[in-house]
């Protein structure tokens, strides 16, 4: 992804990258499966520095490949989505795909938090490819209300699904979009370092506030059930 054009960046300063496989010939291009990679989260100088030193791949997207298993399997006996357009979004900012383009000062480490920017750029680029391809075919061309999309991920990808789902509905105008957050319910454990408390601090520090849904516009949106309630009318 061209970072100068899209404002994207990974945690080690490298360019973002993602994977797209268009639906095979004869299948609808505008059936779209979007998968978000997992990979935990780091929030303080110590854990972020340790992760960067020990697992640098968590801060780079250019060597990630899709997991060909489960719903992303190429075997039609395993997955009903084998003939869908498939998009795989690597995770490279340790910000649960929530970062709005801020660089967080962690003392000895300056960590770009661009996860949501990366995700939205990749999906917009996918949209533009589908638009071009469908407009080149005979028929009605690209219509946002005809896109059928399924977006989800596990762990950090689950959180990212929750924080960005509203954007596909409200901004892309893809009303036929379902979300499957897996293994990341963002439950509040009532502790000082719990989801709610960290949300109050990290949502502004990561530049996430402008990217939250306008019907859930505060740090409490880090808590899954609060976000679910806000999203449910949509």
């Amino acid at each position: 992804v061209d970072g100068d054009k899209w404002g994207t960046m990974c945690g080690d300063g490298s360019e973002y990258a993602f994977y797209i496989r268009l639906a095979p010939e004869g299948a609808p291009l505008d059936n779209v499966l979007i998968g978000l990679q997992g990979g935990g989260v780091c929030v303080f100088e110590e854990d972020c520095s340790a992760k960067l030193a020990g697992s640098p791949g968590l801060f780079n997207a250019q060597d990630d490949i899709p997991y060909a298993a489960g719903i992303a399997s190429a075997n039609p006996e395993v997955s009903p989505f084998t003939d869908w357009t498939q998009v795989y979004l690597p995770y490279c900012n340790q910000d649960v795909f929530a970062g709005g383009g801020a660089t967080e000062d962690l003392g000895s480490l300056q960590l770009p938090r661009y996860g949501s920017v990366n995700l939205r750029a990749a999906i917009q680029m996918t949209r533009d490819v589908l638009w071009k391809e469908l407009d080149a075919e005979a028929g009605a061309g690209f219509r946002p209300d005809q896109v059928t999309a399924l977006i989800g991920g596990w762990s950090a990808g689950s959180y990212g699904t929750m924080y960005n789902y509203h954007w596909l509905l409200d901004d892309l105008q893809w009303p036929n979009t379902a979300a499957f957050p897996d293994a990341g319910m963002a439950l509040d454990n009532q502790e000082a370092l719990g989801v709610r408390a960290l949300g109050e601090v990290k949502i502004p520090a990561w530049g996430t506030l402008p990217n939250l849904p306008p019907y859930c516009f505060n740090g409490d949106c880090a808590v899954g059930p609060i976000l679910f309630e806000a999203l449910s009318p949509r």
Side-chain angles (χ1 to χ4, degrees):
V1 180
D2 183 346
D4 291 335
K5 175 179 179 179
W6 293 98
T8 50
M9 186 188 301
C10 280
D12 63 359
S14 62
E15 298 278 21
Y16 189 61
F18 70 102
Y19 173 95
I20 177 172
R21 180 185 69 83
L22 294 178
E25 185 175 357
L29 286 172
D30 49 3
N31 286 345
V32 185
L33 174 66
I34 304 169
L36 281 62
Q37 185 184 31
V41 64
C42 73
V43 292
F44 302 114
E45 178 181 1
E46 294 79 8
D47 61 319
C48 289
S49 295
K51 274 197 169 185
L52 182 59
S55 302
L58 292 174
F59 299 82
N60 189 292
Q62 296 189 29
D63 59 354
D64 291 294
I65 58 174
Y67 292 96
I71 63 172
S73 172
N75 183 350
E77 295 184 359
V78 175
S79 170
F81 303 103
T82 55
D83 61 349
W84 283 38
T85 294
Q86 295 193 9
V87 182
Y88 180 72
L89 304 182
Y91 177 49
C92 68
N93 295 93
Q94 285 293 298
D95 61 0
V96 296
F97 290 97
T103 297
E104 186 178 18
D105 184 357
L106 295 172
S108 65
L109 179 65
Q110 307 297 307
L111 184 57
R113 302 290 198 174
Y114 283 60
S116 182
V117 178
N118 296 340
L119 176 149
R120 297 181 187 197
I123 295 177
Q124 286 182 84
M125 291 175 68
T126 299
R127 184 270 316 271
D128 293 347
V129 169
L130 299 179
W131 198 330
K132 180 179 179 180
E133 294 289 331
L134 288 169
D135 279 4
E137 297 179 354
F142 177 79
R143 292 179 54 188
D145 62 341
Q146 295 301 305
V147 174
T148 298
L150 183 62
I151 180 171
W154 68 98
S155 185
S158 173
Y159 284 72
T161 299
M162 295 187 293
Y163 294 148
N164 292 282
Y165 176 51
H166 71 280
W167 176 78
L168 282 85
L169 300 174
D170 295 340
D171 292 70
L172 288 191
Q173 294 289 293
W174 289 6
N176 304 311
T177 301
F180 62 100
D182 176 30
M185 296 296 288
L187 300 178
D188 181 18
N189 61 6
Q190 307 293 324
E191 295 182 1
L193 294 181
V195 169
R196 185 188 299 270
L198 286 172
E200 294 288 348
V201 175
K202 295 301 181 178
I203 280 180
W206 293 353
T208 300
L209 194 59
N211 286 348
L212 290 176
Y215 30 89
C216 190
F217 204 61
N218 58 61
D220 279 353
C221 267
V223 180
I226 292 175
L227 187 55
F228 294 151
E229 184 176 358
L231 292 172
S232 61
R234 298 290 295 112

